Short mmCIF file of all heavy atoms in Angstrom, two decimals:
data_model
loop_
_atom_site.label_atom_id
_atom_site.label_comp_id
_atom_site.label_asym_id
_atom_site.label_seq_id
_atom_site.Cartn_x
_atom_site.Cartn_y
_atom_site.Cartn_z
N PHE A 35 117.89 84.10 107.98
CA PHE A 35 117.52 85.18 107.02
C PHE A 35 118.11 84.83 105.67
O PHE A 35 119.14 84.05 105.59
CB PHE A 35 118.21 86.52 107.46
CG PHE A 35 117.83 86.96 108.83
CD1 PHE A 35 118.37 86.42 109.96
CD2 PHE A 35 116.90 88.06 109.02
CE1 PHE A 35 118.06 86.80 111.24
CE2 PHE A 35 116.58 88.50 110.23
CZ PHE A 35 117.18 87.83 111.38
N TYR A 37 119.32 87.06 102.19
CA TYR A 37 119.48 88.40 101.57
C TYR A 37 119.88 88.21 100.11
O TYR A 37 120.57 87.28 99.74
CB TYR A 37 120.60 89.20 102.30
CG TYR A 37 120.24 89.76 103.63
CD1 TYR A 37 120.31 88.95 104.78
CD2 TYR A 37 119.74 91.08 103.71
CE1 TYR A 37 119.95 89.49 106.02
CE2 TYR A 37 119.41 91.59 104.99
CZ TYR A 37 119.52 90.86 106.06
OH TYR A 37 119.16 91.39 107.34
N GLN A 39 121.86 90.16 96.97
CA GLN A 39 122.83 91.22 96.63
C GLN A 39 122.92 91.33 95.10
O GLN A 39 123.74 90.56 94.49
CB GLN A 39 124.13 90.99 97.27
CG GLN A 39 125.11 92.20 97.09
CD GLN A 39 126.50 91.94 97.73
OE1 GLN A 39 127.08 90.93 97.56
NE2 GLN A 39 126.87 92.95 98.55
N GLY A 43 125.25 96.00 94.40
CA GLY A 43 125.97 95.83 95.69
C GLY A 43 125.11 95.91 96.93
O GLY A 43 125.57 95.48 98.00
N MET A 45 122.37 95.29 99.92
CA MET A 45 121.84 94.03 100.56
C MET A 45 120.36 94.21 100.66
O MET A 45 119.85 95.11 101.28
CB MET A 45 122.42 93.82 101.95
CG MET A 45 123.97 93.63 101.87
SD MET A 45 124.39 92.05 101.25
CE MET A 45 123.87 90.91 102.58
N PHE A 91 122.72 85.49 100.10
CA PHE A 91 123.36 85.13 101.31
C PHE A 91 122.39 84.56 102.30
O PHE A 91 121.27 85.14 102.47
CB PHE A 91 124.04 86.31 101.94
CG PHE A 91 125.28 86.77 101.24
CD1 PHE A 91 125.25 87.87 100.38
CD2 PHE A 91 126.47 86.16 101.39
CE1 PHE A 91 126.32 88.32 99.74
CE2 PHE A 91 127.63 86.57 100.76
CZ PHE A 91 127.54 87.67 99.90
N ARG A 95 120.96 84.80 113.11
CA ARG A 95 121.12 85.67 114.12
C ARG A 95 121.97 85.05 115.27
O ARG A 95 121.68 83.92 115.66
CB ARG A 95 119.79 86.09 114.72
CG ARG A 95 119.77 87.04 115.88
CD ARG A 95 118.37 87.44 116.37
NE ARG A 95 117.69 86.23 116.81
CZ ARG A 95 116.43 85.87 116.45
NH1 ARG A 95 115.75 86.63 115.59
NH2 ARG A 95 115.89 84.79 116.94
N LEU A 98 125.01 88.28 121.29
CA LEU A 98 126.27 88.71 121.78
C LEU A 98 126.08 89.08 123.21
O LEU A 98 125.02 88.98 123.80
CB LEU A 98 126.80 89.92 120.97
CG LEU A 98 126.95 89.66 119.48
CD1 LEU A 98 127.29 90.98 118.75
CD2 LEU A 98 127.98 88.60 119.21
N ILE A 99 127.19 89.70 123.83
CA ILE A 99 127.01 90.04 125.23
C ILE A 99 126.18 91.21 125.36
O ILE A 99 125.86 91.96 124.34
CB ILE A 99 128.47 90.45 125.79
CG1 ILE A 99 129.13 91.57 125.00
CG2 ILE A 99 129.33 89.15 125.79
CD1 ILE A 99 130.37 92.04 125.58
N GLN A 100 125.65 91.49 126.54
CA GLN A 100 124.85 92.66 126.85
C GLN A 100 123.65 92.83 125.94
O GLN A 100 123.13 93.90 125.74
CB GLN A 100 125.68 93.94 126.82
CG GLN A 100 126.85 93.94 127.83
CD GLN A 100 127.68 95.13 127.65
OE1 GLN A 100 127.76 95.84 126.69
NE2 GLN A 100 128.49 95.48 128.68
N GLY A 101 123.09 91.71 125.50
CA GLY A 101 121.81 91.74 124.72
C GLY A 101 122.02 92.10 123.26
O GLY A 101 121.02 92.17 122.53
N ALA A 102 123.20 92.38 122.80
CA ALA A 102 123.37 92.70 121.40
C ALA A 102 123.30 91.43 120.57
O ALA A 102 123.40 90.33 121.05
CB ALA A 102 124.77 93.35 121.22
N GLN A 103 123.04 91.68 119.26
CA GLN A 103 122.96 90.60 118.29
C GLN A 103 123.81 90.95 117.09
O GLN A 103 124.13 92.08 116.88
CB GLN A 103 121.58 90.36 117.93
CG GLN A 103 120.64 89.92 118.97
CD GLN A 103 119.19 89.73 118.51
OE1 GLN A 103 118.78 90.26 117.54
NE2 GLN A 103 118.34 89.03 119.30
N LYS A 104 124.13 89.87 116.31
CA LYS A 104 124.74 90.22 115.04
C LYS A 104 124.30 89.11 114.10
O LYS A 104 123.60 88.10 114.46
CB LYS A 104 126.25 90.19 115.09
CG LYS A 104 126.81 88.74 115.25
CD LYS A 104 128.34 88.71 115.26
CE LYS A 104 128.91 87.38 115.42
NZ LYS A 104 130.39 87.34 115.40
N LEU A 105 124.50 89.38 112.79
CA LEU A 105 124.18 88.32 111.78
C LEU A 105 125.53 87.58 111.44
O LEU A 105 126.53 88.28 111.16
CB LEU A 105 123.61 89.00 110.50
CG LEU A 105 122.23 89.55 110.72
CD1 LEU A 105 121.78 90.30 109.43
CD2 LEU A 105 121.20 88.44 111.00
N PHE A 107 126.96 85.33 108.45
CA PHE A 107 126.57 85.05 107.09
C PHE A 107 127.26 83.78 106.50
O PHE A 107 128.43 83.46 106.95
CB PHE A 107 127.00 86.24 106.23
CG PHE A 107 126.07 87.47 106.38
CD1 PHE A 107 126.23 88.35 107.41
CD2 PHE A 107 125.04 87.67 105.47
CE1 PHE A 107 125.48 89.43 107.52
CE2 PHE A 107 124.28 88.77 105.60
CZ PHE A 107 124.46 89.63 106.63
N GLY A 108 126.67 83.19 105.55
CA GLY A 108 127.27 82.17 104.76
C GLY A 108 128.18 82.78 103.73
O GLY A 108 128.26 84.01 103.51
N GLN A 109 128.76 81.92 102.90
CA GLN A 109 129.75 82.41 101.87
C GLN A 109 129.12 83.00 100.69
O GLN A 109 129.64 83.68 99.91
CB GLN A 109 130.66 81.21 101.41
CG GLN A 109 131.29 80.47 102.51
CD GLN A 109 130.52 79.26 102.99
OE1 GLN A 109 129.31 79.36 103.16
NE2 GLN A 109 131.20 78.20 103.24
N TYR B 31 121.13 100.69 117.64
CA TYR B 31 122.18 99.70 117.31
C TYR B 31 122.72 99.99 115.93
O TYR B 31 121.97 100.07 114.91
CB TYR B 31 121.54 98.33 117.35
CG TYR B 31 122.54 97.18 117.21
CD1 TYR B 31 123.43 96.82 118.20
CD2 TYR B 31 122.54 96.50 115.93
CE1 TYR B 31 124.35 95.74 117.98
CE2 TYR B 31 123.45 95.50 115.81
CZ TYR B 31 124.28 95.05 116.81
OH TYR B 31 125.19 94.07 116.66
N TYR B 35 130.18 95.81 108.80
CA TYR B 35 130.55 94.49 108.21
C TYR B 35 131.52 94.77 107.08
O TYR B 35 131.46 95.76 106.36
CB TYR B 35 129.34 93.75 107.65
CG TYR B 35 128.36 93.37 108.77
CD1 TYR B 35 127.36 94.14 109.17
CD2 TYR B 35 128.39 92.01 109.27
CE1 TYR B 35 126.41 93.72 110.14
CE2 TYR B 35 127.47 91.61 110.20
CZ TYR B 35 126.47 92.43 110.64
OH TYR B 35 125.52 92.02 111.54
N GLN B 37 132.74 92.57 103.46
CA GLN B 37 132.37 91.46 102.67
C GLN B 37 133.61 91.10 101.81
O GLN B 37 134.09 91.98 101.06
CB GLN B 37 131.18 91.78 101.80
CG GLN B 37 130.79 90.64 100.84
CD GLN B 37 129.63 91.00 99.92
OE1 GLN B 37 128.93 91.92 100.08
NE2 GLN B 37 129.48 90.20 98.83
N GLY B 40 134.03 84.55 99.04
CA GLY B 40 134.19 83.26 99.75
C GLY B 40 133.99 83.33 101.22
O GLY B 40 134.01 82.27 101.86
N GLY B 42 131.65 85.69 102.77
CA GLY B 42 130.48 86.37 103.20
C GLY B 42 130.72 87.67 103.87
O GLY B 42 131.77 88.36 103.62
N LEU B 43 129.80 88.07 104.75
CA LEU B 43 129.99 89.34 105.55
C LEU B 43 130.44 88.98 106.90
O LEU B 43 129.89 88.08 107.55
CB LEU B 43 128.66 90.13 105.58
CG LEU B 43 128.29 90.90 104.36
CD1 LEU B 43 127.76 90.05 103.26
CD2 LEU B 43 127.22 91.96 104.75
N GLN B 45 131.38 90.82 110.84
CA GLN B 45 131.19 91.98 111.55
C GLN B 45 132.52 92.49 112.11
O GLN B 45 133.40 91.79 112.63
CB GLN B 45 130.26 91.71 112.81
CG GLN B 45 129.82 92.89 113.52
CD GLN B 45 129.00 92.64 114.73
OE1 GLN B 45 129.38 91.96 115.62
NE2 GLN B 45 127.77 93.16 114.75
N TYR B 48 130.54 96.93 116.49
CA TYR B 48 129.13 97.31 116.61
C TYR B 48 128.91 98.26 117.80
O TYR B 48 129.95 98.40 118.62
CB TYR B 48 128.23 96.07 116.90
CG TYR B 48 128.55 95.32 118.16
CD1 TYR B 48 127.77 95.53 119.30
CD2 TYR B 48 129.53 94.27 118.20
CE1 TYR B 48 127.99 94.85 120.50
CE2 TYR B 48 129.71 93.56 119.33
CZ TYR B 48 128.93 93.79 120.45
OH TYR B 48 129.17 93.12 121.63
N MET B 50 125.97 99.71 120.60
CA MET B 50 124.61 99.51 121.09
C MET B 50 123.93 100.91 121.43
O MET B 50 122.73 100.95 121.60
CB MET B 50 124.58 98.63 122.30
CG MET B 50 124.93 97.16 121.99
SD MET B 50 124.59 96.08 123.40
CE MET B 50 122.87 96.21 123.51
N ASP B 56 131.77 97.98 120.63
CA ASP B 56 132.50 96.75 121.00
C ASP B 56 133.00 96.11 119.72
O ASP B 56 132.48 96.36 118.62
CB ASP B 56 131.61 95.80 121.76
CG ASP B 56 132.41 94.93 122.75
OD1 ASP B 56 133.64 94.77 122.54
OD2 ASP B 56 131.78 94.44 123.71
N ASP B 59 134.01 90.43 114.87
CA ASP B 59 134.90 89.27 114.61
C ASP B 59 136.20 89.66 113.96
O ASP B 59 137.21 88.93 114.13
CB ASP B 59 134.15 88.33 113.61
CG ASP B 59 132.91 87.71 114.22
OD1 ASP B 59 132.99 87.33 115.46
OD2 ASP B 59 131.93 87.56 113.51
N LEU B 88 134.48 95.26 100.45
CA LEU B 88 133.24 95.95 100.37
C LEU B 88 132.72 96.05 101.81
O LEU B 88 132.53 95.08 102.52
CB LEU B 88 132.20 95.22 99.49
CG LEU B 88 130.83 95.78 99.31
CD1 LEU B 88 130.86 97.20 98.76
CD2 LEU B 88 129.97 94.84 98.43
N PHE B 90 129.88 97.43 104.70
CA PHE B 90 128.47 97.78 104.92
C PHE B 90 128.34 98.24 106.38
O PHE B 90 128.75 97.62 107.27
CB PHE B 90 127.57 96.54 104.69
CG PHE B 90 127.40 96.16 103.30
CD1 PHE B 90 128.19 95.13 102.76
CD2 PHE B 90 126.47 96.83 102.47
CE1 PHE B 90 127.96 94.72 101.43
CE2 PHE B 90 126.40 96.41 101.11
CZ PHE B 90 127.11 95.45 100.60
N ALA B 97 118.55 96.13 120.05
CA ALA B 97 119.65 95.30 119.79
C ALA B 97 119.34 94.23 118.79
O ALA B 97 120.16 93.48 118.35
CB ALA B 97 120.14 94.66 121.05
N SER B 98 118.07 94.06 118.44
CA SER B 98 117.68 92.96 117.53
C SER B 98 118.04 93.27 116.07
O SER B 98 117.95 94.33 115.61
CB SER B 98 116.19 92.77 117.60
OG SER B 98 115.70 91.83 116.62
N VAL B 99 118.50 92.21 115.42
CA VAL B 99 118.87 92.38 114.02
C VAL B 99 117.83 91.93 113.13
O VAL B 99 117.97 91.87 111.92
CB VAL B 99 120.19 91.59 113.69
CG1 VAL B 99 121.35 92.18 114.43
CG2 VAL B 99 120.01 90.14 113.98
N ASP B 100 116.65 91.63 113.72
CA ASP B 100 115.53 91.07 112.85
C ASP B 100 115.04 92.11 111.85
O ASP B 100 114.56 91.70 110.80
CB ASP B 100 114.35 90.64 113.82
CG ASP B 100 114.69 89.34 114.52
OD1 ASP B 100 115.87 88.84 114.37
OD2 ASP B 100 113.84 88.85 115.31
N GLN B 102 117.03 94.77 110.45
CA GLN B 102 118.28 95.50 110.26
C GLN B 102 118.29 96.14 108.91
O GLN B 102 118.08 95.51 107.87
CB GLN B 102 119.52 94.60 110.46
CG GLN B 102 120.84 95.31 110.45
CD GLN B 102 121.90 94.39 111.10
OE1 GLN B 102 122.72 93.85 110.35
NE2 GLN B 102 121.99 94.30 112.37
N PHE B 104 120.50 97.94 105.96
CA PHE B 104 121.87 98.00 105.49
C PHE B 104 122.09 99.24 104.71
O PHE B 104 121.19 99.71 103.92
CB PHE B 104 122.23 96.82 104.66
CG PHE B 104 122.57 95.62 105.46
CD1 PHE B 104 121.57 94.73 105.84
CD2 PHE B 104 123.89 95.38 105.76
CE1 PHE B 104 121.93 93.59 106.62
CE2 PHE B 104 124.22 94.20 106.48
CZ PHE B 104 123.28 93.34 106.94
#
Side-chain angles (χ1 to χ4, degrees):
Chain A
F35 304 76
Y37 285 86
Q39 186 180 51
M45 296 290 286
F91 289 101
R95 179 181 62 226
L98 304 173
I99 59 172
Q100 299 176 341
Q103 296 178 341
K104 73 174 183 184
L105 289 174
F107 285 84
Q109 306 93 318
Chain B
Y31 186 77
Y35 293 86
Q37 179 184 343
L43 282 76
Q45 190 182 58
Y48 65 96
M50 291 190 65
D56 212 339
D59 296 319
L88 178 59
F90 287 99
S98 172
V99 296
D100 287 2
Q102 187 163 101
F104 280 87

